Amino acid sequence: MLVRDWMTREPITVTPDTPVMDALKILKEGNFRRLPVVEGQQLVGITTRKDLKDAMPSKATTLSVWELNYLLSKLTVAEMMARPVVTAAEGEYMEDAALRMQEHHVGGLPVLNDAGRLSGIITTMDVLRAFTGILGMREGGQRLTLDMPDVPGSLERATQAVLPSNIISVATYGSHDGHRRFVMRVNGEGVRDVRRRVHDAGITVLD
């Protein structure tokens, strides 16, 4: 599961000399939150809706309308953009990009191709799409949460108990007291009785 499979390709960009008001208009019309900033073919920064709005004078300003409009016309993205930019690579795993977003407290990463050029953007919404896709949320079936010993062979034991139903997805989390939680989504033959079969195999079914 690579970044290139989930990113938004060819994102809208601005240049450093784009007026802040124009950048805000682009964000509003496109209904998104961030804009990569490019100069030539080089990614040089990123700016967000919050960054740009924070640049706006306070409503309590004593500036005249003429002075306010003049200042806003001179204010450019270059003065508000973040740099250096935290990025992702097209060929890296989604989980690595998601971890970087978490570590840097950002909601999106520009994506670079092998030549170092901007080719896409990955956001928290894309991460959520990938997450729900991995867990098979749109494929129906039954969800099982199993509590099993955290030892080799536990997953094989669970898959044997599920048969003849088909396993759509498997995830694990939370090692505790020598046990681990297994989350499975299954469908197909025998799915109505899958919980009973798993329980009868001596496996703890939490939900």
Side-chain angles (χ1 to χ4, degrees):
M1 190 175 66
L2 303 178
V3 167
R4 68 166 59 96
D5 299 322
W6 297 93
M7 70 183 188
T8 298
R9 296 182 177 274
E10 300 181 0
I12 295 175
T13 63
V14 291
T15 62
D17 59 359
T18 300
V20 164
M21 294 301 293
D22 289 353
L24 278 170
K25 181 179 179 182
I26 292 171
L27 287 170
K28 182 177 181 180
E29 291 177 348
N31 193 31
F32 38 79
R33 298 181 179 179
R34 54 192 55 81
L35 288 168
V37 185
V38 297
E39 193 165 26
Q41 293 185 315
Q42 189 71 33
L43 177 71
V44 295
I46 189 168
T47 192
T48 67
R49 184 181 301 177
K50 182 180 185 303
D51 294 334
L52 298 175
K53 284 188 173 181
D54 285 348
M56 297 294 100
S58 166
K59 292 181 179 180
T61 181
T62 58
L63 295 174
S64 68
V65 173
W66 184 88
E67 290 172 320
L68 186 58
N69 288 336
Y70 176 79
L71 287 175
L72 290 177
S73 69
K74 296 297 183 181
L75 190 62
T76 65
V77 167
E79 299 171 69
M80 304 307 303
M81 69 184 187
R83 52 184 164 187
V85 191
V86 183
T87 63
E90 280 190 0
E92 74 174 309
Y93 294 120
M94 275 290 289
E95 57 264 36
D96 292 329
L99 180 60
R100 194 173 309 116
M101 290 168 65
Q102 182 181 18
E103 291 174 341
H104 290 273
H105 304 286
V106 295
L109 300 175
V111 181
L112 305 181
N113 60 21
D114 291 340
R117 306 299 187 192
L118 179 71
S119 60
I121 191 167
I122 195 92
T123 69
T124 50
M125 187 59 68
D126 298 316
V127 173
L128 288 173
R129 286 195 301 114
F131 176 72
T132 55
I134 290 171
L135 294 181
M137 296 296 292
R138 297 185 183 278
E139 298 186 53
Q142 290 275 349
R143 179 187 187 278
L144 304 173
T145 302
L146 313 178
D147 189 71
M148 302 189 67
D150 191 7
V151 296
S154 282
L155 181 57
E156 180 181 7
R157 180 182 167 204
T159 56
Q160 289 297 318
V162 163
L163 292 174
S165 299
N166 182 50
I167 298 174
I168 300 172
S169 68
V170 180
T172 75
Y173 71 96
S175 181
H176 63 97
D177 300 325
H179 280 236
R180 177 171 289 275
R181 302 285 169 82
F182 289 76
V183 179
M184 287 186 169
R185 184 168 291 274
V186 301
N187 66 7
E189 184 181 352
V191 72
R192 294 183 61 182
D193 300 319
V194 66
R195 294 178 186 276
R196 177 186 56 76
R197 293 198 305 276
V198 174
H199 181 269
D200 290 349
I203 298 172
T204 301
V205 182
L206 299 178
D207 62 40

